[in-house]
Amino acid sequence: MNIKICLLPGDGIGPEIITQAVRVLEKTATHFTHTIETQTALIGGVAIDAVGEPLPKATIAACQSSDAVLLGAVGGPKWDNIDPAIRPEKGLLGIRKALGLFANLRPAVLFPELVKASYLRPDIVRQGLDIMVVRELTGGAYFGEPRGETIINGERAAFNTMIYAESEIERIVRMACEIAMKRSKRLCSVDKANVLDVSRLWREVTIRTAAEYPDVQLSHMYVDNAAMQLIRDPSQFDVLVTENLFGDILSDEASMLTGSIGMLPSASMGADGPALFEPIHGSAPDIAGQDKANPLATILSVSMLLRYSFGLEAEALAIEKAVQSVLAQGYRTGDIYVGEGTQVGCAAMGSLVVDAIG
Ligand code: IPM
Ligand code: MG
């Protein structure tokens, strides 16, 4: 198979982790006799520096002409005081919107080797942790109109709109039900229906849509309670579905249960067209360029890319197994090092995974 992907390394640690992920992709392709065709495009701060905008049209075109997109990270202090209309993050939000990537799949899986790196008590994490957060990605407060600043009673005020149309809720809930059907068939929808109108519609449409999947056991939880339950007893969850902002927050929380945000990959998918794969962590400017970053979230994003965009299950599993064996041998980047095993840098971690494939 020819695997045609667009690379968007972006800012901070983005280029370093993408370099290692591409090495893993190339080794996997060679091992399974696939060919890889890559092109690289600008996004985020590096795009602002080069061409004055975070999402150049050429980048959208490069993504659209590929089968899948692999992204590193965007943003950094250098662009913190820039005009908000062209912040690096606008590049990421813009490409999600441009490609229609309404569903963000964020699996939080605890590798048994990393139980000690989890921030939870061992007796809680030992019950296992394998949660899939399905986050709506192109709606809600992130994109809702109207938005902006105004003057109310003589002082500045700012506002965003958390808005969802029925069709937006239906399609993400359907996606979550399909995923639940392939797992334990348990789906928990997270909302704030005791306060927000938008959540009341969310809940109503979720109940109606999930009824199309009689085997799926649907439950509902308020987002504040969900934040608490994720820490108290994460093993009660299988698939979570929630709106954009709640999903942003809960997926970072879930990542800490697994030891490090440096471990978690994600897939962003639309109804058709190329999907986008990226680690859920950010650009970590404090460690950028120092060979300290954990490339595993991006490497695991490559695994998701092969599975979801190309249906290459054996190849995806080969990468996951390689990661697991490297962890089992005791190798750790700084973020998952808790005093045991061997601490390694970003490039060395990449090499270890490359060597463990095949
Ligand atoms: C994420 C990030 C982004 C988001 C930022 C960088 C715009 O936090 O992918 O979770 O809020 O969606
Ligand atoms: Mg986030």
Side-chain angles (χ1 to χ4, degrees):
M1 182 180 284
N2 185 40
I3 297 168
K4 192 172 169 193
I5 64 172
C6 181
L7 304 173
L8 304 177
D11 307 318
I13 59 170
E16 304 163 56
I17 53 179
I18 289 287
T19 300
Q20 299 314 316
V22 169
R23 290 179 64 208
V24 171
L25 175 62
E26 279 167 354
K27 174 73 186 281
T28 311
T30 309
H31 185 71
F32 287 89
T33 65
H34 301 299
T35 52
I36 307 265
E37 214 180 304
T38 60
Q39 54 181 326
T40 303
L42 293 169
I43 194 164
V46 288
I48 297 171
D49 290 350
V51 297
E53 49 177 336
L55 184 62
K57 288 207 173 55
T59 297
I60 301 177
C63 293
Q64 279 165 342
S65 69
S66 302
D67 299 322
V69 182
L70 184 66
L71 182 137
V74 297
K78 183 177 175 194
W79 305 280
D80 267 355
N81 297 316
I82 208 161
D83 170 6
I86 60 159
R87 275 187 73 90
E89 289 79 3
K90 289 273 176 186
L92 181 54
L93 300 183
I95 195 69
R96 288 172 178 168
K97 196 73 170 177
L99 299 177
L101 308 174
F102 66 85
N104 184 214
L105 276 42
R106 299 192 158 184
V109 178
L110 176 66
F111 284 87
E113 292 79 10
L114 293 185
V115 165
K116 284 195 184 142
S118 170
Y119 287 83
L120 283 188
R121 284 204 322 257
D123 58 310
I124 299 177
V125 282
R126 236 177 254 119
Q127 295 171 38
L129 185 70
D130 182 357
I131 300 172
M132 177 68 90
V133 179
V134 180
R135 167 188 175 192
E136 200 291 327
L137 203 57
T138 51
Y142 273 66
F143 294 94
E145 298 283 350
R147 65 190 298 164
E149 255 203 55
T150 182
I151 302 285
I152 299 180
N153 298 332
E155 60 176 335
R156 287 173 70 200
F159 56 98
N160 292 87
T161 304
M162 191 187 274
I163 181 167
Y164 275 101
E166 288 175 291
S167 57
E168 290 177 297
I169 305 168
E170 275 165 15
R171 64 185 181 179
I172 190 73
V173 171
R174 267 195 202 109
M175 175 85 89
C177 287
E178 297 285 343
I179 292 167
M181 287 297 289
K182 292 188 191 135
R183 296 170 55 109
S184 77
K185 300 189 173 66
R186 282 182 298 128
L187 175 65
C188 179
S189 168
V190 175
D191 62 33
K192 188 71 186 174
N194 50 346
V195 176
L196 301 177
D197 299 274
V198 59
S199 281
R200 277 192 284 274
L201 182 69
W202 177 280
R203 192 175 281 214
E204 203 185 302
V205 175
T206 298
I207 292 171
R208 188 173 83 201
T209 308
E212 295 165 20
Y213 298 82
D215 291 341
V216 170
Q217 263 181 51
L218 176 69
S219 60
H220 305 274
M221 201 179 272
Y222 297 140
V223 62
D224 49 349
N225 187 25
M228 180 185 78
Q229 295 296 339
L230 268 173
I231 304 289
R232 197 187 72 87
D233 176 20
S235 65
Q236 70 184 283
F237 295 112
D238 184 37
V239 182
L240 288 176
V241 64
T242 190
E243 68 89 43
N244 204 348
L245 183 58
F246 298 163
D248 178 47
I249 297 167
L250 292 180
S251 59
D252 269 30
E253 187 189 357
S255 77
M256 276 301 104
L257 312 177
T258 72
S260 170
I261 196 164
M263 292 299 299
L264 295 200
S266 83
S268 304
M269 307 198 290
D272 46 35
L276 182 147
F277 302 82
E278 58 170 319
I280 81 158
H281 61 68
S283 59
D286 52 322
I287 57 164
Q290 300 170 36
D291 193 37
K292 285 184 182 160
N294 183 349
L296 293 178
T298 318
I299 289 170
L300 292 167
S301 299
V302 168
S303 163
M304 290 189 91
L305 177 151
L306 294 172
R307 174 176 290 125
Y308 288 105
S309 283
F310 299 93
L312 298 174
E313 183 62 27
E315 289 79 346
L317 275 175
I319 294 177
E320 286 158 10
K321 277 204 187 122
V323 168
Q324 182 143 20
S325 86
V326 168
L327 293 174
Q329 291 164 53
Y331 293 107
R332 305 281 187 268
T333 43
D335 58 314
I336 48 174
Y337 182 74
V338 282
E340 279 172 26
T342 315
Q343 195 171 338
V344 295
C346 180
M349 184 55 101
S351 299
L352 286 160
V353 178
V354 166
D355 292 343
I357 286 170

